[in-house]
Amino acid sequence: MPDSTTAEAPTQSPFERIGGHAVLRAVTDRFYDLMDQDPAYAELRAMHAADLDPMRASLPAFLAGWAGGPRDWFEVNPGKCMMSMHSPFPIGQATATQWAEAMRRAIAETDVADREIADAMSDVLARMAKGMARD
Ligand code: HEM
């Protein structure tokens, strides 16, 4: 029986556990660097605008809210659904796999506060990306 005097430590959100904005920004910067520099992701890169800076700001803000942190991105984009937002792009198995792999590498190559939650996030993001493939 837990001792009634010791308060339960509040459970941390995945956002807090991974290390907050600084870590998500480091992950997504590595993600877009990989997309920009590694020819393995050329097809995925070609789908994006020449200037990736708007995405370097948007994706970490989206992931922060998605991971239980501040919901600024969702306040700025009320009702915006990731699946329908991506429907204009010709996403197939190949580009979805490139997205998932680049994200898995970016998370693996970034210094995170909690590797367990980081790996779990990799798995969920890979499933989301694969769910966007339409071929
Ligand atoms: C399946 C692979 C994916 C492909 C090929 C893809 C491609 C794209 C492209 C081409 C854009 C527009 C970027 C631009 O204008 O330069 C975009 C925007 C975006 N994508 Fe993806 N995406 C994929 C998966 C995902 C996933 C899994 C997430 C989230 C977990 C995501 C989050 C976003 C966000 C937040 C934006 C910007 C939306 C905005 O602020 O307007 N994408 N994506």
Side-chain angles (χ1 to χ4, degrees), residues 84-107:
S84 43
M85 193 231 96
H86 281 86
S87 53
F89 305 115
I91 299 176
Q93 292 297 333
T95 38
T97 303
Q98 289 172 24
W99 196 102
E101 190 195 294
M103 184 55 77
R104 191 176 294 286
R105 278 180 66 190
I107 290 174

Side-chain angles (χ1 to χ4, degrees), residues 34-115:
L34 287 169
M35 190 197 287
D36 220 16
Q37 293 151 19
D38 190 329
Y41 312 124
E43 233 180 311
L44 177 64
R45 178 66 186 90
M47 266 188 199
H48 288 72
D51 178 9
L52 286 175
D53 282 356
M55 288 306 299
R56 288 179 189 272
S58 177
L59 187 55
F62 167 81
L63 293 175
W66 174 79
R71 296 183 60 79
D72 306 47
W73 188 91
F74 292 84
E75 269 135 42
V76 175
N77 299 283
K80 200 174 209 175
C81 153
M82 270 303 112
M83 301 313 260
S84 43
M85 193 231 96
H86 281 86
S87 53
F89 305 115
I91 299 176
Q93 292 297 333
T95 38
T97 303
Q98 289 172 24
W99 196 102
E101 190 195 294
M103 184 55 77
R104 191 176 294 286
R105 278 180 66 190
I107 290 174
E109 294 170 10
T110 300
D111 197 7
V112 297
D114 178 329
R115 187 50 64 188

